[in-house]
PDB file of all heavy atoms in Angstrom:
ATOM      1  N   PRO A   1     141.732  13.884 -35.809  1.00 96.00           N
ATOM      2  CA  PRO A   1     143.163  13.757 -35.884  1.00 96.00           C
ATOM      3  C   PRO A   1     143.581  13.148 -37.166  1.00 96.00           C
ATOM      4  O   PRO A   1     142.832  12.472 -37.864  1.00 96.00           O
ATOM      5  CB  PRO A   1     143.478  12.839 -34.719  1.00 96.00           C
ATOM      6  CG  PRO A   1     142.251  12.029 -34.510  1.00 96.00           C
ATOM      7  CD  PRO A   1     141.045  12.980 -34.870  1.00 96.00           C
ATOM      8  N   VAL A   2     144.837  13.452 -37.437  1.00 94.00           N
ATOM      9  CA  VAL A   2     145.445  12.809 -38.650  1.00 94.00           C
ATOM     10  C   VAL A   2     146.723  12.026 -38.241  1.00 94.00           C
ATOM     11  O   VAL A   2     147.163  12.190 -37.071  1.00 94.00           O
ATOM     12  CB  VAL A   2     145.885  13.879 -39.701  1.00 94.00           C
ATOM     13  CG1 VAL A   2     144.578  14.630 -40.239  1.00 94.00           C
ATOM     14  CG2 VAL A   2     146.889  14.970 -39.123  1.00 94.00           C
ATOM     15  N   ARG A   3     147.227  11.226 -39.140  1.00 92.00           N
ATOM     16  CA  ARG A   3     148.457  10.515 -38.757  1.00 92.00           C
ATOM     17  C   ARG A   3     149.624  11.451 -38.570  1.00 92.00           C
ATOM     18  O   ARG A   3     149.803  12.519 -39.218  1.00 92.00           O
ATOM     19  CB  ARG A   3     148.818   9.496 -39.979  1.00 92.00           C
ATOM     20  CG  ARG A   3     147.790   8.408 -40.175  1.00 92.00           C
ATOM     21  CD  ARG A   3     148.228   7.465 -41.302  1.00 92.00           C
ATOM     22  NE  ARG A   3     147.313   6.305 -41.353  1.00 92.00           N
ATOM     23  CZ  ARG A   3     147.493   5.225 -40.689  1.00 92.00           C
ATOM     24  NH1 ARG A   3     148.438   5.052 -39.858  1.00 92.00           N
ATOM     25  NH2 ARG A   3     146.551   4.153 -40.890  1.00 92.00           N
ATOM     26  N   ASP A   4     150.389  11.090 -37.516  1.00 86.00           N
ATOM     27  CA  ASP A   4     151.622  11.929 -37.135  1.00 86.00           C
ATOM     28  C   ASP A   4     152.820  11.234 -37.760  1.00 86.00           C
ATOM     29  O   ASP A   4     153.294  10.245 -37.184  1.00 86.00           O
ATOM     30  CB  ASP A   4     151.629  12.038 -35.644  1.00 86.00           C
ATOM     31  CG  ASP A   4     152.799  12.930 -35.148  1.00 86.00           C
ATOM     32  OD1 ASP A   4     153.570  13.321 -35.977  1.00 86.00           O
ATOM     33  OD2 ASP A   4     152.955  13.081 -33.904  1.00 86.00           O
ATOM     34  N   ALA A   5     153.269  11.771 -38.854  1.00 84.00           N
ATOM     35  CA  ALA A   5     154.462  11.204 -39.538  1.00 84.00           C
ATOM     36  C   ALA A   5     155.707  11.276 -38.647  1.00 84.00           C
ATOM     37  O   ALA A   5     156.711  10.483 -38.905  1.00 84.00           O
ATOM     38  CB  ALA A   5     154.626  11.891 -40.879  1.00 84.00           C
ATOM     39  N   ALA A   6     155.712  12.202 -37.704  1.00 84.00           N
ATOM     40  CA  ALA A   6     156.971  12.435 -36.883  1.00 84.00           C
ATOM     41  C   ALA A   6     157.009  11.616 -35.612  1.00 84.00           C
ATOM     42  O   ALA A   6     157.943  11.557 -34.821  1.00 84.00           O
ATOM     43  CB  ALA A   6     157.077  13.927 -36.458  1.00 84.00           C
ATOM     44  N   TRP A   7     155.908  10.771 -35.429  1.00 85.00           N
ATOM     45  CA  TRP A   7     155.849   9.951 -34.227  1.00 85.00           C
ATOM     46  C   TRP A   7     156.975   8.878 -34.297  1.00 85.00           C
ATOM     47  O   TRP A   7     157.147   8.251 -35.365  1.00 85.00           O
ATOM     48  CB  TRP A   7     154.454   9.282 -34.084  1.00 85.00           C
ATOM     49  CG  TRP A   7     154.281   8.614 -32.789  1.00 85.00           C
ATOM     50  CD1 TRP A   7     153.833   9.127 -31.640  1.00 85.00           C
ATOM     51  CD2 TRP A   7     154.330   7.151 -32.672  1.00 85.00           C
ATOM     52  NE1 TRP A   7     153.743   8.132 -30.671  1.00 85.00           N
ATOM     53  CE2 TRP A   7     154.071   6.873 -31.300  1.00 85.00           C
ATOM     54  CE3 TRP A   7     154.660   6.090 -33.417  1.00 85.00           C
ATOM     55  CZ2 TRP A   7     153.989   5.677 -30.702  1.00 85.00           C
ATOM     56  CZ3 TRP A   7     154.678   4.845 -32.857  1.00 85.00           C
ATOM     57  CH2 TRP A   7     154.336   4.578 -31.551  1.00 85.00           C
ATOM     58  N   ASP A   8     157.665   8.776 -33.217  1.00 84.00           N
ATOM     59  CA  ASP A   8     158.824   7.880 -33.108  1.00 84.00           C
ATOM     60  C   ASP A   8     158.464   6.726 -32.119  1.00 84.00           C
ATOM     61  O   ASP A   8     158.479   6.893 -30.969  1.00 84.00           O
ATOM     62  CB  ASP A   8     160.027   8.656 -32.814  1.00 84.00           C
ATOM     63  CG  ASP A   8     161.287   7.760 -32.732  1.00 84.00           C
ATOM     64  OD1 ASP A   8     161.233   6.506 -32.974  1.00 84.00           O
ATOM     65  OD2 ASP A   8     162.349   8.387 -32.480  1.00 84.00           O
ATOM     66  N   ALA A   9     158.400   5.450 -32.678  1.00 82.00           N
ATOM     67  CA  ALA A   9     158.128   4.417 -31.852  1.00 82.00           C
ATOM     68  C   ALA A   9     159.255   4.088 -30.816  1.00 82.00           C
ATOM     69  O   ALA A   9     158.916   3.562 -29.788  1.00 82.00           O
ATOM     70  CB  ALA A   9     157.910   3.057 -32.739  1.00 82.00           C
ATOM     71  N   LYS A  10     160.460   4.554 -31.046  1.00 81.00           N
ATOM     72  CA  LYS A  10     161.523   4.375 -30.047  1.00 81.00           C
ATOM     73  C   LYS A  10     161.464   5.305 -28.927  1.00 81.00           C
ATOM     74  O   LYS A  10     161.972   5.118 -27.873  1.00 81.00           O
ATOM     75  CB  LYS A  10     162.838   4.626 -30.785  1.00 81.00           C
ATOM     76  CG  LYS A  10     163.128   3.582 -31.878  1.00 81.00           C
ATOM     77  CD  LYS A  10     164.491   3.851 -32.588  1.00 81.00           C
ATOM     78  CE  LYS A  10     164.795   2.791 -33.609  1.00 81.00           C
ATOM     79  NZ  LYS A  10     166.089   3.101 -34.326  1.00 81.00           N
ATOM     80  N   LYS A  11     160.619   6.353 -29.076  1.00 83.00           N
ATOM     81  CA  LYS A  11     160.307   7.360 -28.040  1.00 83.00           C
ATOM     82  C   LYS A  11     158.793   7.447 -27.959  1.00 83.00           C
ATOM     83  O   LYS A  11     158.320   8.585 -27.997  1.00 83.00           O
ATOM     84  CB  LYS A  11     161.041   8.665 -28.291  1.00 83.00           C
ATOM     85  CG  LYS A  11     162.527   8.548 -28.454  1.00 83.00           C
ATOM     86  CD  LYS A  11     163.059   9.923 -28.830  1.00 83.00           C
ATOM     87  CE  LYS A  11     164.562   9.797 -29.148  1.00 83.00           C
ATOM     88  NZ  LYS A  11     165.170  11.118 -29.688  1.00 83.00           N
ATOM     89  N   ALA A  12     158.154   6.384 -27.805  1.00 82.00           N
ATOM     90  CA  ALA A  12     156.702   6.362 -27.954  1.00 82.00           C
ATOM     91  C   ALA A  12     155.940   7.250 -26.995  1.00 82.00           C
ATOM     92  O   ALA A  12     156.094   7.075 -25.755  1.00 82.00           O
ATOM     93  CB  ALA A  12     156.206   4.944 -27.856  1.00 82.00           C
ATOM     94  N   ASP A  13     155.273   8.207 -27.520  1.00 86.00           N
ATOM     95  CA  ASP A  13     154.368   9.064 -26.773  1.00 86.00           C
ATOM     96  C   ASP A  13     153.027   8.487 -26.705  1.00 86.00           C
ATOM     97  O   ASP A  13     152.384   8.359 -27.743  1.00 86.00           O
ATOM     98  CB  ASP A  13     154.282  10.412 -27.391  1.00 86.00           C
ATOM     99  CG  ASP A  13     153.468  11.475 -26.607  1.00 86.00           C
ATOM    100  OD1 ASP A  13     152.794  11.041 -25.598  1.00 86.00           O
ATOM    101  OD2 ASP A  13     153.592  12.683 -26.924  1.00 86.00           O
ATOM    102  N   PRO A  14     152.514   8.089 -25.568  1.00 89.00           N
ATOM    103  CA  PRO A  14     151.169   7.443 -25.488  1.00 89.00           C
ATOM    104  C   PRO A  14     149.975   8.361 -25.884  1.00 89.00           C
ATOM    105  O   PRO A  14     148.892   7.858 -26.075  1.00 89.00           O
ATOM    106  CB  PRO A  14     150.949   6.951 -23.992  1.00 89.00           C
ATOM    107  CG  PRO A  14     152.015   7.917 -23.311  1.00 89.00           C
ATOM    108  CD  PRO A  14     153.079   8.189 -24.207  1.00 89.00           C
ATOM    109  N   ALA A  15     150.280   9.668 -25.988  1.00 91.00           N
ATOM    110  CA  ALA A  15     149.154  10.588 -26.228  1.00 91.00           C
ATOM    111  C   ALA A  15     148.792  10.700 -27.757  1.00 91.00           C
ATOM    112  O   ALA A  15     147.728  11.141 -28.135  1.00 91.00           O
ATOM    113  CB  ALA A  15     149.455  11.996 -25.713  1.00 91.00           C
ATOM    114  N   ASN A  16     149.719  10.234 -28.622  1.00 91.00           N
ATOM    115  CA  ASN A  16     149.434  10.185 -30.045  1.00 91.00           C
ATOM    116  C   ASN A  16     150.082   8.999 -30.751  1.00 91.00           C
ATOM    117  O   ASN A  16     150.474   8.035 -30.092  1.00 91.00           O
ATOM    118  CB  ASN A  16     149.828  11.580 -30.695  1.00 91.00           C
ATOM    119  CG  ASN A  16     151.434  11.772 -30.509  1.00 91.00           C
ATOM    120  OD1 ASN A  16     152.155  10.843 -30.159  1.00 91.00           O
ATOM    121  ND2 ASN A  16     151.783  12.972 -30.813  1.00 91.00           N
ATOM    122  N   SER A  17     150.148   9.005 -32.071  1.00 93.00           N
ATOM    123  CA  SER A  17     150.529   7.833 -32.727  1.00 93.00           C
ATOM    124  C   SER A  17     150.789   8.162 -34.148  1.00 93.00           C
ATOM    125  O   SER A  17     150.401   9.184 -34.653  1.00 93.00           O
ATOM    126  CB  SER A  17     149.393   6.729 -32.604  1.00 93.00           C
ATOM    127  OG  SER A  17     149.705   5.582 -33.437  1.00 93.00           O
ATOM    128  N   GLU A  18     151.327   7.222 -34.955  1.00 93.00           N
ATOM    129  CA  GLU A  18     151.488   7.334 -36.382  1.00 93.00           C
ATOM    130  C   GLU A  18     150.161   7.019 -37.008  1.00 93.00           C
ATOM    131  O   GLU A  18     149.791   7.290 -38.054  1.00 93.00           O
ATOM    132  CB  GLU A  18     152.420   6.393 -36.929  1.00 93.00           C
ATOM    133  CG  GLU A  18     152.204   4.914 -36.813  1.00 93.00           C
ATOM    134  CD  GLU A  18     153.285   4.020 -37.334  1.00 93.00           C
ATOM    135  OE1 GLU A  18     154.470   4.167 -36.916  1.00 93.00           O
ATOM    136  OE2 GLU A  18     152.984   3.252 -38.260  1.00 93.00           O
ATOM    137  N   ALA A  19     149.074   6.463 -36.214  1.00 96.00           N
ATOM    138  CA  ALA A  19     147.701   6.308 -36.657  1.00 96.00           C
ATOM    139  C   ALA A  19     147.055   7.588 -36.308  1.00 96.00           C
ATOM    140  O   ALA A  19     147.510   8.523 -35.517  1.00 96.00           O
ATOM    141  CB  ALA A  19     147.050   5.186 -35.841  1.00 96.00           C
ATOM    142  N   PRO A  20     145.822   7.934 -36.893  1.00 97.00           N
ATOM    143  CA  PRO A  20     145.082   9.044 -36.675  1.00 97.00           C
ATOM    144  C   PRO A  20     144.315   8.983 -35.268  1.00 97.00           C
ATOM    145  O   PRO A  20     143.118   8.773 -35.240  1.00 97.00           O
ATOM    146  CB  PRO A  20     144.014   9.130 -37.826  1.00 97.00           C
ATOM    147  CG  PRO A  20     143.912   7.752 -38.179  1.00 97.00           C
ATOM    148  CD  PRO A  20     145.261   6.999 -38.020  1.00 97.00           C
ATOM    149  N   TYR A  21     145.203   9.021 -34.249  1.00 97.00           N
ATOM    150  CA  TYR A  21     144.730   8.746 -32.908  1.00 97.00           C
ATOM    151  C   TYR A  21     145.288   9.731 -31.906  1.00 97.00           C
ATOM    152  O   TYR A  21     146.516  10.128 -31.954  1.00 97.00           O
ATOM    153  CB  TYR A  21     145.216   7.327 -32.569  1.00 97.00           C
ATOM    154  CG  TYR A  21     145.127   6.933 -31.053  1.00 97.00           C
ATOM    155  CD1 TYR A  21     144.102   6.246 -30.561  1.00 97.00           C
ATOM    156  CD2 TYR A  21     146.271   7.198 -30.265  1.00 97.00           C
ATOM    157  CE1 TYR A  21     143.992   5.773 -29.258  1.00 97.00           C
ATOM    158  CE2 TYR A  21     146.205   6.776 -28.926  1.00 97.00           C
ATOM    159  CZ  TYR A  21     145.112   6.143 -28.442  1.00 97.00           C
ATOM    160  OH  TYR A  21     145.011   5.727 -27.077  1.00 97.00           O
ATOM    161  N   ARG A  22     144.417  10.264 -30.986  1.00 97.00           N
ATOM    162  CA  ARG A  22     144.936  11.185 -29.968  1.00 97.00           C
ATOM    163  C   ARG A  22     144.024  10.857 -28.640  1.00 97.00           C
ATOM    164  O   ARG A  22     142.963  10.378 -28.687  1.00 97.00           O
ATOM    165  CB  ARG A  22     144.602  12.680 -30.332  1.00 97.00           C
ATOM    166  CG  ARG A  22     145.339  13.064 -31.570  1.00 97.00           C
ATOM    167  CD  ARG A  22     146.822  13.264 -31.395  1.00 97.00           C
ATOM    168  NE  ARG A  22     147.456  13.793 -32.581  1.00 97.00           N
ATOM    169  CZ  ARG A  22     147.847  13.063 -33.671  1.00 97.00           C
ATOM    170  NH1 ARG A  22     147.505  11.754 -33.744  1.00 97.00           N
ATOM    171  NH2 ARG A  22     148.343  13.621 -34.676  1.00 97.00           N
ATOM    172  N   VAL A  23     144.798  11.194 -27.526  1.00 98.00           N
ATOM    173  CA  VAL A  23     144.230  11.124 -26.221  1.00 98.00           C
ATOM    174  C   VAL A  23     144.450  12.526 -25.534  1.00 98.00           C
ATOM    175  O   VAL A  23     145.547  12.980 -25.633  1.00 98.00           O
ATOM    176  CB  VAL A  23     144.768  10.033 -25.364  1.00 98.00           C
ATOM    177  CG1 VAL A  23     144.263  10.053 -23.890  1.00 98.00           C
ATOM    178  CG2 VAL A  23     144.427   8.637 -25.930  1.00 98.00           C
ATOM    179  N   TYR A  24     143.393  12.991 -24.869  1.00 98.00           N
ATOM    180  CA  TYR A  24     143.535  14.262 -24.211  1.00 98.00           C
ATOM    181  C   TYR A  24     142.920  14.194 -22.814  1.00 98.00           C
ATOM    182  O   TYR A  24     141.929  13.437 -22.567  1.00 98.00           O
ATOM    183  CB  TYR A  24     142.818  15.367 -24.906  1.00 98.00           C
ATOM    184  CG  TYR A  24     143.370  15.764 -26.202  1.00 98.00           C
ATOM    185  CD1 TYR A  24     142.867  15.201 -27.382  1.00 98.00           C
ATOM    186  CD2 TYR A  24     144.428  16.770 -26.306  1.00 98.00           C
ATOM    187  CE1 TYR A  24     143.439  15.621 -28.658  1.00 98.00           C
ATOM    188  CE2 TYR A  24     144.974  17.127 -27.496  1.00 98.00           C
ATOM    189  CZ  TYR A  24     144.432  16.547 -28.714  1.00 98.00           C
ATOM    190  OH  TYR A  24     144.916  16.881 -29.981  1.00 98.00           O
ATOM    191  N   ASN A  25     143.435  14.881 -21.808  1.00 97.00           N
ATOM    192  CA  ASN A  25     142.739  15.130 -20.617  1.00 97.00           C
ATOM    193  C   ASN A  25     141.729  16.226 -20.776  1.00 97.00           C
ATOM    194  O   ASN A  25     142.038  17.181 -21.500  1.00 97.00           O
ATOM    195  CB  ASN A  25     143.738  15.671 -19.462  1.00 97.00           C
ATOM    196  CG  ASN A  25     144.626  14.529 -18.931  1.00 97.00           C
ATOM    197  OD1 ASN A  25     144.278  13.286 -18.942  1.00 97.00           O
ATOM    198  ND2 ASN A  25     145.769  14.847 -18.398  1.00 97.00           N
ATOM    199  N   ILE A  26     140.590  16.116 -20.082  1.00 97.00           N
ATOM    200  CA  ILE A  26     139.634  17.200 -20.168  1.00 97.00           C
ATOM    201  C   ILE A  26     139.100  17.423 -18.794  1.00 97.00           C
ATOM    202  O   ILE A  26     138.456  16.671 -18.208  1.00 97.00           O
ATOM    203  CB  ILE A  26     138.494  16.927 -21.248  1.00 97.00           C
ATOM    204  CG1 ILE A  26     137.587  18.150 -21.303  1.00 97.00           C
ATOM    205  CG2 ILE A  26     137.755  15.676 -20.930  1.00 97.00           C
ATOM    206  CD1 ILE A  26     136.652  18.073 -22.563  1.00 97.00           C
ATOM    207  N   GLY A  27     139.683  18.554 -18.198  1.00 95.00           N
ATOM    208  CA  GLY A  27     139.380  18.881 -16.842  1.00 95.00           C
ATOM    209  C   GLY A  27     139.578  20.339 -16.612  1.00 95.00           C
ATOM    210  O   GLY A  27     139.661  21.128 -17.604  1.00 95.00           O
ATOM    211  N   SER A  28     139.565  20.761 -15.456  1.00 93.00           N
ATOM    212  CA  SER A  28     139.759  22.200 -15.094  1.00 93.00           C
ATOM    213  C   SER A  28     141.114  22.715 -14.812  1.00 93.00           C
ATOM    214  O   SER A  28     141.433  23.891 -14.828  1.00 93.00           O
ATOM    215  CB  SER A  28     138.847  22.652 -13.896  1.00 93.00           C
ATOM    216  OG  SER A  28     139.352  21.997 -12.679  1.00 93.00           O
ATOM    217  N   ASN A  29     142.026  21.739 -14.541  1.00 88.00           N
ATOM    218  CA  ASN A  29     143.401  22.032 -14.132  1.00 88.00           C
ATOM    219  C   ASN A  29     143.408  22.873 -12.849  1.00 88.00           C
ATOM    220  O   ASN A  29     144.400  23.578 -12.600  1.00 88.00           O
ATOM    221  CB  ASN A  29     144.180  22.714 -15.238  1.00 88.00           C
ATOM    222  CG  ASN A  29     145.690  22.816 -15.051  1.00 88.00           C
ATOM    223  OD1 ASN A  29     146.169  21.919 -14.400  1.00 88.00           O
ATOM    224  ND2 ASN A  29     146.341  23.818 -15.522  1.00 88.00           N
ATOM    225  N   ARG A  30     142.349  22.716 -11.977  1.00 88.00           N
ATOM    226  CA  ARG A  30     142.334  23.355 -10.763  1.00 88.00           C
ATOM    227  C   ARG A  30     141.744  22.447  -9.650  1.00 88.00           C
ATOM    228  O   ARG A  30     140.561  22.480  -9.291  1.00 88.00           O
ATOM    229  CB  ARG A  30     141.433  24.596 -10.817  1.00 88.00           C
ATOM    230  CG  ARG A  30     141.981  25.703 -11.688  1.00 88.00           C
ATOM    231  CD  ARG A  30     141.017  27.028 -11.550  1.00 88.00           C
ATOM    232  NE  ARG A  30     139.634  26.710 -12.052  1.00 88.00           N
ATOM    233  CZ  ARG A  30     139.235  26.783 -13.243  1.00 88.00           C
ATOM    234  NH1 ARG A  30     140.007  27.122 -14.204  1.00 88.00           N
ATOM    235  NH2 ARG A  30     138.006  26.606 -13.476  1.00 88.00           N
ATOM    236  N   PRO A  31     142.570  21.571  -9.043  1.00 90.00           N
ATOM    237  CA  PRO A  31     142.087  20.623  -8.053  1.00 90.00           C
ATOM    238  C   PRO A  31     141.530  21.380  -6.775  1.00 90.00           C
ATOM    239  O   PRO A  31     142.077  22.376  -6.412  1.00 90.00           O
ATOM    240  CB  PRO A  31     143.314  19.811  -7.744  1.00 90.00           C
ATOM    241  CG  PRO A  31     144.407  20.639  -8.038  1.00 90.00           C
ATOM    242  CD  PRO A  31     144.042  21.436  -9.309  1.00 90.00           C
ATOM    243  N   VAL A  32     140.419  20.889  -6.379  1.00 92.00           N
ATOM    244  CA  VAL A  32     139.799  21.432  -5.188  1.00 92.00           C
ATOM    245  C   VAL A  32     139.702  20.431  -4.102  1.00 92.00           C
ATOM    246  O   VAL A  32     139.336  19.258  -4.254  1.00 92.00           O
ATOM    247  CB  VAL A  32     138.277  21.867  -5.546  1.00 92.00           C
ATOM    248  CG1 VAL A  32     137.557  22.393  -4.291  1.00 92.00           C
ATOM    249  CG2 VAL A  32     138.269  22.893  -6.752  1.00 92.00           C
ATOM    250  N   LYS A  33     140.105  20.890  -2.865  1.00 92.00           N
ATOM    251  CA  LYS A  33     140.055  20.054  -1.662  1.00 92.00           C
ATOM    252  C   LYS A  33     138.688  19.673  -1.344  1.00 92.00           C
ATOM    253  O   LYS A  33     137.728  20.425  -1.521  1.00 92.00           O
ATOM    254  CB  LYS A  33     140.780  20.729  -0.501  1.00 92.00           C
ATOM    255  CG  LYS A  33     142.298  20.989  -0.674  1.00 92.00           C
ATOM    256  CD  LYS A  33     142.784  21.690   0.579  1.00 92.00           C
ATOM    257  CE  LYS A  33     144.294  21.882   0.433  1.00 92.00           C
ATOM    258  NZ  LYS A  33     144.942  22.642   1.629  1.00 92.00           N
ATOM    259  N   LEU A  34     138.391  18.347  -0.939  1.00 92.00           N
ATOM    260  CA  LEU A  34     137.184  17.898  -0.713  1.00 92.00           C
ATOM    261  C   LEU A  34     136.397  18.766   0.364  1.00 92.00           C
ATOM    262  O   LEU A  34     135.326  19.146   0.233  1.00 92.00           O
ATOM    263  CB  LEU A  34     137.201  16.446  -0.201  1.00 92.00           C
ATOM    264  CG  LEU A  34     135.816  15.783   0.186  1.00 92.00           C
ATOM    265  CD1 LEU A  34     134.913  15.763  -1.008  1.00 92.00           C
ATOM    266  CD2 LEU A  34     136.086  14.399   0.764  1.00 92.00           C
ATOM    267  N   MET A  35     137.140  19.199   1.375  1.00 93.00           N
ATOM    268  CA  MET A  35     136.540  19.969   2.438  1.00 93.00           C
ATOM    269  C   MET A  35     136.055  21.378   1.943  1.00 93.00           C
ATOM    270  O   MET A  35     135.057  21.907   2.447  1.00 93.00           O
ATOM    271  CB  MET A  35     137.385  19.996   3.643  1.00 93.00           C
ATOM    272  CG  MET A  35     137.841  18.743   4.285  1.00 93.00           C
ATOM    273  SD  MET A  35     136.340  17.568   4.566  1.00 93.00           S
ATOM    274  CE  MET A  35     135.451  18.518   5.699  1.00 93.00           C
ATOM    275  N   ASP A  36     136.866  21.935   0.990  1.00 93.00           N
ATOM    276  CA  ASP A  36     136.472  23.242   0.441  1.00 93.00           C
ATOM    277  C   ASP A  36     135.279  23.033  -0.457  1.00 93.00           C
ATOM    278  O   ASP A  36     134.369  23.929  -0.573  1.00 93.00           O
ATOM    279  CB  ASP A  36     137.655  23.784  -0.449  1.00 93.00           C
ATOM    280  CG  ASP A  36     138.842  24.200   0.469  1.00 93.00           C
ATOM    281  OD1 ASP A  36     138.682  24.368   1.621  1.00 93.00           O
ATOM    282  OD2 ASP A  36     140.021  24.298  -0.141  1.00 93.00           O
ATOM    283  N   PHE A  37     135.159  21.938  -1.077  1.00 94.00           N
ATOM    284  CA  PHE A  37     134.025  21.534  -1.969  1.00 94.00           C
ATOM    285  C   PHE A  37     132.788  21.491  -1.104  1.00 94.00           C
ATOM    286  O   PHE A  37     131.751  22.130  -1.375  1.00 94.00           O
ATOM    287  CB  PHE A  37     134.244  20.306  -2.664  1.00 94.00           C
ATOM    288  CG  PHE A  37     133.228  20.001  -3.786  1.00 94.00           C
ATOM    289  CD1 PHE A  37     133.015  20.820  -4.814  1.00 94.00           C
ATOM    290  CD2 PHE A  37     132.501  18.798  -3.679  1.00 94.00           C
ATOM    291  CE1 PHE A  37     132.053  20.505  -5.812  1.00 94.00           C
ATOM    292  CE2 PHE A  37     131.560  18.448  -4.649  1.00 94.00           C
ATOM    293  CZ  PHE A  37     131.391  19.358  -5.670  1.00 94.00           C
ATOM    294  N   ILE A  38     132.906  20.802   0.063  1.00 94.00           N
ATOM    295  CA  ILE A  38     131.714  20.735   0.968  1.00 94.00           C
ATOM    296  C   ILE A  38     131.306  22.133   1.535  1.00 94.00           C
ATOM    297  O   ILE A  38     130.149  22.407   1.623  1.00 94.00           O
ATOM    298  CB  ILE A  38     132.081  19.700   2.107  1.00 94.00           C
ATOM    299  CG1 ILE A  38     132.233  18.334   1.517  1.00 94.00           C
ATOM    300  CG2 ILE A  38     130.995  19.765   3.138  1.00 94.00           C
ATOM    301  CD1 ILE A  38     132.743  17.325   2.603  1.00 94.00           C
TER     302      ILE A  38
END
């Protein structure tokens, strides 16, 4: 990642920053019921 010059501290998005910092979810986006899994 690189610094995000457009990041606005007044509308702070926790997923990125003016620092070279990012956070992502990494999953399947398809929740499965426990009983279906079994």
Side-chain angles (χ1 to χ4, degrees):
V2 297
R3 292 182 177 272
D4 184 356
W7 189 80
D8 185 355
K10 295 180 180 179
K11 304 174 183 177
D13 183 349
N16 59 15
S17 173
E18 64 182 59
Y21 166 93
R22 298 291 183 277
V23 173
Y24 294 94
N25 286 335
I26 184 164
S28 69
N29 195 29
R30 293 187 301 270
V32 176
K33 293 179 180 178
L34 179 62
M35 301 312 297
D36 291 341
F37 189 61
I38 294 173

